[in-house]
């Protein structure tokens, strides 16, 4: 009787005994399957652990091509465009609303759009785009947010004309001679402006969240620090462009004069042109990879989205959670500065002049200080990242399979460096250890505390301008370091998840074709429910895949980067509510005597509440600096520090 070489699997694999195959065919099958897994693995290699020998190999090993400086600029330039759009609201929003006729109380309610949109837009957009498998999952939200942003900003610029059109259309025949017509147009314009401001805030938050998510997706792990540094530079460059265009007499420019209206309208149009151009550059030059579906793919309903955000917030890794704690205290200092820095310049001017200054001149002086602050931030954002640049000689190399192999490579490297130094008649110099990101961040927080406490000694306008300008150093670090730290931790977790998945595949391939079923009573109690005495003693490999593979699966998949960055933004936004309450209490206590005096109608003279609010923020950042010391170094930083210590030991030993 001739047995067939192979047998098709029976549909009921758990009630039948697997047909035996020849050992040679089993080995050939396992070898072909193992080869297939190694070829399809994420960056796996037959040599060592796939660690790169140089930057180009690093990008290949991570499955992402190393990005040039031009690539990083193209990726980050749209962040500068979005910051130009922010200056429309931050620099000119309040005067525009007051000019429309909105009261100060209602204006403060409009400004609630910022924290509300930050609480909702960034986490939700991050979670929804994380759940998508499309290769356009980030760029879709970038383009959608840009469209909403352009429409809302242009509606804001032309709100009076749009309101007049709708009043004429639905006003029941009322003409411009009707006394109620002007009030109806004004009220309608205010309604359009408020809705536009809320849409603008939500769109800006969604846009910046999607841009950071895109950075996390397309940037190789070893370039995350550089990419976030470019994001910081573009944000501050956007501030310079925005404040610079605000100073220019746009109403007198030949082409912009055709738009009509005020300076604000022309500024809105220019900002939207810049935003559209920068977003087009980023979306055209960047290409995302289609994401593979997870083993357990969650639903895309809003309930599942919010449930995923809540679950992720509770299960944040300790390093990322500590970064969020730092951000809570850090932005309790940043919000007072961002809101009241120009007002602080005006109060110092009133103190120096000993009278109420001209408000327009005080506002321009404050804007000039913020312009210098932005220039300093760009310079600091360009120079400081060089202090954290990783020396490739301290990074992992291909072939470092274990500690002994790595030590042998380091010993040979020291021997080579010693010989090279001897040829040039110079002593052996080892690579320098770069600054840790957390150290740079801690230093910036301490500098912010120092500068805010220096307000006790500031009595001249030029001193206040210098103080505000130096804060730009701290802002450059705030826009770069925490995001780089979080993204490095996310990439490390992603690599761990990938390596665990490859280990599962290798363990699966090393198993024999048949696994004997547990038959002892003690062991059977730990087996899955539903197994009885009719369970076969031999299982097919397919049976193992359904039963035993669960024990080899990784405990957790990599966390969704967009959701984590959205939760990080919650830690940034939440302090805004606290600062609003504390600032009101400080103003009530410090400036109560001035405001209660009916003979004093001054807005700046005799008041000192803003300085005390800034000092309160400085003390909060001091607590943030203490917590920042508890943020652990990233794995790359730890490994670089260990390798440098080993090189120093080898140098002292004088290894030949």
């Amino acid at each position: 009787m001739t047995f067939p070489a192979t047998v098709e699997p029976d549909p009921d694999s758990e009630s039948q005994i697997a047909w035996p195959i020849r050992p040679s065919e089993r080995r050939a099958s396992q070898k072909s399957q193992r080869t297939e897994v190694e070829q399809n693995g994420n960056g796996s290699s037959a040599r060592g652990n796939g660690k790169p020998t140089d930057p180009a190999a690093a990008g290949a090993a991570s499955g992402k091509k190393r990005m040039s400086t031009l690539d990083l600029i193209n990726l980050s330039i749209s962040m500068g465009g979005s910051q130009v759009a922010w200056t429309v609201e931050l620099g000119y929003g309040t005067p525009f609303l007051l000019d429309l006729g909105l009261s100060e109380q209602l204006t403060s309610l409009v400004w609630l759009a910022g924290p509300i949109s930050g609480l909702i837009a960034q986490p939700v957009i991050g979670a929804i785009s994380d759940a998508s498998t499309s290769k356009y999952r980030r760029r879709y939200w970038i383009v959608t947010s840009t469209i909403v942003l352009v429409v809302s900003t242009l509606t804001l610029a032309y709100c009076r004309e749009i309101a007049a059109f709708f009043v004429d259309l639905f006003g029941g025949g009322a003409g411009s001679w009707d006394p109620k017509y002007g009030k109806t147009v004004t009220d309608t314009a205010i309604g359009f402006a408020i809705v536009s401001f809320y849409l603008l805030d939500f769109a800006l938050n969604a846009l910046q969240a999607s841009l950071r998510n895109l950075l996390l997706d397309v940037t190789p792990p070893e370039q995350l620090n550089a990419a976030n540094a470019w994001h910081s530079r573009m944000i501050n460059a956007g501030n310079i462009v925005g404040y610079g265009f605000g100073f220019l007499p746009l109403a007198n420019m030949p082409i912009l004069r055709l738009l009509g209206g005020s300076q604000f309208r022309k500024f809105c149009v220019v900002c939207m042109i810049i935003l559209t151009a920068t977003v087009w550059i980023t979306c055209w030059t960047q290409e995302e990879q289609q994401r593979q579906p997870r083993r357990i793919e969650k639903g895309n309903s809003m309930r599942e989205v919010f449930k995923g955000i809540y679950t992720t917030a509770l299960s944040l890794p300790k390093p990322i959670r500590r970064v969020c704690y730092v951000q809570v205290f850090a932005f309790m200092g940043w919000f007072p500065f961002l809101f009241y820095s120009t007002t602080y310049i005006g109060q110092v001017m009133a103190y120096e002049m000993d009278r109420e200054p001209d408000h327009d001149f005080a506002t321009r002086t404050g804007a000039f200080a913020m312009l210098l602050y932005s220039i300093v931030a760009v310079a600091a954002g360009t120079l400081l990242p060089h202090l954290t640049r990783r020396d490739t000689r301290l990074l992992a190399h291909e072939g470092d399979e274990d500690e002994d192999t790595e030590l042998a490579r380091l010993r040979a490297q020291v021997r080579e460096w010693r010989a090279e130094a001897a040829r040039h008649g110079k002593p052996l110099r080892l690579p320098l250890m770069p600054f840790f990101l957390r150290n740079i961040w801690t230093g910036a927080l301490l500098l912010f505390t120092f500068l805010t406490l220096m307000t006790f000694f500031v009595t001249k306008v030029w001193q206040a301008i210098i103080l505000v300008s130096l804060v730009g150093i701290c802002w450059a670090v705030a826009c770069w370091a925490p995001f780089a730290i979080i993204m490095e931790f996310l990439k490390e977790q992603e690599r761990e998840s990938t390596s665990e998945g490859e280990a599962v595949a290798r363990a699966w391939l090393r198993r024999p074709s048949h696994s004997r079923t547990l038959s002892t009573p003690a062991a059977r109690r730990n087996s899955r429910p539903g197994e009885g005495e009719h369970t076969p003693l031999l299982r097919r490999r397919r049976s193992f895949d359904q039963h035993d593979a669960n024990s080899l699966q990784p405990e957790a998949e990599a966390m969704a980067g967009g959701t984590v960055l959205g939760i990080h933004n919650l830690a940034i936004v939440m302090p805004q509510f606290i600062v609003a309450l504390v600032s009101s209490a400080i103003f009530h206590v410090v400036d109560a005597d001035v405001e209660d005096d009916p003979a004093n109608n001054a807005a700046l003279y005799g008041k000192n509440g803003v300085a005390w609010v800034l000092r309160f923020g400085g003390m909060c950042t001091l607590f943030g600096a203490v917590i920042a010391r508890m943020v652990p170094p990233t794995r790359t930083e730890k490994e670089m520090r260990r390798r440098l210590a080993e090189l120093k030991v080898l140098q002292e030993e004088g290894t030949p």
Side-chain angles (χ1 to χ4, degrees):
M1 180 177 179
T2 304
F3 290 94
T6 59
V7 178
E8 293 294 327
D10 190 273
D12 187 7
S13 61
E14 294 195 9
S15 63
Q16 301 291 331
I17 297 177
W19 196 277
I21 62 175
R22 296 185 181 95
S24 59
E25 294 175 357
R26 182 190 308 136
R27 288 192 297 270
S29 175
Q30 292 178 357
K31 181 178 180 181
S32 63
Q33 291 174 350
R34 185 177 298 109
T35 303
E36 181 179 356
V37 168
E38 291 177 351
Q39 290 176 349
N40 296 334
N42 294 330
S44 61
S45 172
R47 294 182 58 191
N49 57 359
K51 294 178 181 178
T53 56
D54 52 45
S62 63
K64 297 174 184 176
K65 179 177 132 184
R66 183 172 176 83
M67 304 178 76
S68 64
T69 301
L70 181 60
D71 293 331
L72 293 174
I73 293 175
N74 291 334
L75 174 62
S76 305
I77 193 171
S78 52
M79 185 63 82
S82 68
Q83 195 63 27
V84 172
W86 266 120
T87 60
V88 173
E89 180 180 8
L90 295 176
Y92 310 97
T94 299
F96 175 77
L97 292 174
L98 294 175
D99 185 58
L100 277 180
L102 199 65
S103 65
E104 292 184 356
Q105 291 79 8
L106 291 178
T107 302
S108 63
L109 294 179
V110 173
W111 283 111
L112 287 177
I116 292 175
S117 60
L119 286 173
I120 298 174
Q122 294 209 20
V124 171
I125 296 301
I128 293 176
S129 58
D130 282 338
S132 173
T133 59
S134 170
K135 65 178 182 179
Y136 302 102
R137 60 186 177 277
R138 309 297 189 189
R139 287 176 290 174
Y140 168 82
W141 289 104
I142 291 174
V143 173
T144 302
S145 302
T146 303
I147 293 173
V148 175
L149 189 55
V150 170
V151 172
S152 61
T153 304
L154 294 181
T155 302
L156 198 63
Y158 288 89
C159 63
R160 285 191 176 94
E161 287 74 8
I162 296 174
F165 171 79
F166 279 98
V167 170
D168 290 338
L169 188 62
F170 302 105
S176 58
W177 60 86
D178 192 332
K180 297 181 179 178
Y181 178 82
K183 186 177 185 308
T184 304
V185 170
T186 300
D187 293 342
T188 306
I190 290 175
F192 276 113
I194 293 174
V195 173
S196 298
F197 260 105
Y198 271 81
L199 289 176
L200 185 148
D201 265 308
F202 274 86
L204 273 172
N205 274 282
L207 174 60
Q208 292 200 341
S210 301
L211 289 173
R212 291 200 182 276
N213 296 338
L214 179 66
L215 181 149
L216 178 62
D217 284 354
V218 304
T219 307
E222 67 277 3
Q223 287 188 287
L224 284 173
N225 185 27
N228 279 283
W230 273 106
H231 260 43
S232 174
R233 294 166 194 157
M234 290 298 176
I235 287 175
N236 295 302
N239 283 332
I240 294 176
V241 173
Y243 290 123
F245 272 109
F247 279 118
L248 293 177
L250 301 178
N252 299 327
M253 292 188 175
I255 299 178
L256 297 177
R257 189 185 307 151
L258 301 176
L259 298 175
S262 63
Q263 169 95 354
F264 178 76
R265 176 182 298 178
K266 297 174 176 61
F267 181 61
C268 288
V269 173
V270 171
C271 288
M272 290 305 100
I273 293 174
I274 295 174
L275 173 67
T276 304
T278 55
V279 167
W280 180 84
I281 291 173
T282 296
C283 292
W284 181 262
T285 57
Q286 305 304 314
E287 184 175 356
E288 305 169 67
Q289 298 296 324
Q290 188 168 1
R291 182 179 65 80
Q292 296 298 324
R294 298 187 179 96
R295 293 192 303 271
I296 302 176
E297 195 70 49
K298 298 179 180 179
N300 291 333
S301 65
M302 291 306 297
R303 180 179 179 183
E304 292 292 338
V305 168
F306 283 105
K307 182 179 178 181
I309 295 173
Y310 177 75
T311 304
T312 304
L314 294 180
S315 59
L316 281 178
K318 186 178 293 185
I320 297 178
R321 191 183 307 122
R322 288 179 178 174
V323 171
C324 293
Y325 293 157
V326 177
Q327 291 289 65
V328 169
F329 287 99
F331 274 84
M332 288 178 69
W334 276 115
F335 280 124
F337 175 82
L338 296 174
F339 289 159
Y340 302 114
S341 55
T342 54
T343 306
Y344 171 70
I345 298 291
Q347 290 186 357
V348 173
M349 182 180 294
Y351 179 84
E352 182 180 3
M353 298 172 64
D354 199 23
R355 60 182 174 84
E356 184 74 7
D358 178 71
H359 288 184
D360 289 339
F361 178 69
T363 302
R364 289 196 304 271
T365 305
F368 174 71
M370 293 301 292
L371 180 61
L372 294 180
Y373 149 87
S374 300
I375 294 174
V376 171
V378 169
T382 303
L383 298 176
L384 290 179
H386 290 284
L387 300 177
T388 64
R389 178 175 293 178
R390 279 78 187 272
D391 194 321
T392 56
R393 294 174 294 178
L394 296 177
L395 297 175
H397 283 55
E398 185 179 5
D400 292 347
E401 299 180 359
D402 49 37
E403 294 182 1
D404 293 336
T405 306
E406 183 181 69
L407 186 60
R409 178 183 63 80
L410 293 177
R411 181 176 287 107
Q413 202 163 31
V414 170
R415 186 188 305 117
E416 180 182 349
W417 292 343
R418 181 177 287 109
E420 183 70 19
R423 280 197 298 269
H424 294 84
K426 297 179 180 180
L428 173 62
R429 295 184 180 275
L430 296 178
L432 296 177
M433 185 66 193
F435 283 90
F436 285 178
L437 286 169
R438 68 168 185 180
N439 295 342
I440 297 286
W441 194 16
T442 303
L445 293 172
L446 293 175
L447 176 61
F448 184 89
T449 300
F450 172 76
L451 291 174
T452 54
L453 294 181
M454 288 299 294
T455 56
F456 282 110
F457 309 101
V458 171
T459 57
K460 305 292 183 181
V461 173
W462 66 268
Q463 295 172 345
I465 292 176
I466 292 176
L467 186 147
V468 170
S469 302
L470 291 178
V471 176
I473 300 174
C474 311
W475 181 245
V477 177
C479 294
W480 151 54
F483 294 96
I485 292 173
I486 286 182
M487 290 185 186
E488 283 204 30
F489 280 124
L490 288 174
K491 286 295 183 182
E492 289 174 0
Q493 189 178 48
E494 181 181 343
R495 288 197 294 268
E496 288 177 1
S497 178
T498 301
S499 62
E500 288 176 356
E502 293 175 355
V504 169
R506 288 192 295 269
W508 187 83
L509 290 173
R510 285 196 296 266
R511 288 182 62 88
S513 297
H514 305 88
S515 58
R516 187 167 298 278
T517 302
L518 302 174
S519 57
T520 62
R524 186 171 293 280
R525 282 195 297 269
N526 296 326
S527 62
R528 64 172 184 167
E531 290 186 343
E533 59 184 4
H534 298 292
T535 304
L537 295 179
L538 294 177
R539 294 185 185 274
R540 292 180 184 166
R541 184 183 300 276
R542 179 178 174 184
S543 163
F544 157 75
D545 187 40
Q546 296 174 352
H547 174 237
D548 296 333
N550 294 331
S551 62
L552 292 175
Q553 290 179 354
E555 294 181 1
E557 295 185 355
M559 301 189 75
T563 306
V564 173
L565 290 176
I567 294 171
H568 169 251
N569 189 70
L570 294 181
I572 293 175
V573 172
M574 287 299 294
Q576 190 166 344
F577 296 99
I578 303 174
V579 167
L581 297 175
V582 175
S583 300
S584 299
I586 292 176
F587 289 144
H588 178 73
V589 172
V590 177
D591 295 333
D593 295 337
V594 179
E595 294 176 352
D596 293 340
D597 186 1
N600 186 5
N601 296 322
L604 298 173
Y605 180 66
K607 295 185 177 181
N608 196 33
V610 170
W612 282 101
V613 171
L614 294 178
R615 294 160 194 162
F616 163 77
M619 296 307 299
C620 291
T621 57
L622 182 60
F623 284 103
V626 173
I627 302 175
R629 301 306 305 159
M630 303 178 187
V631 177
T634 64
R635 176 173 298 178
T636 302
E637 292 172 334
K638 291 179 181 177
E639 291 179 351
M640 292 176 66
R641 182 170 58 185
R642 176 181 57 81
R643 293 189 187 96
L644 182 59
E646 292 174 350
L647 289 173
K648 290 180 179 179
V649 171
L650 292 174
Q651 181 188 24
E652 293 173 357
E653 291 178 352
T655 307

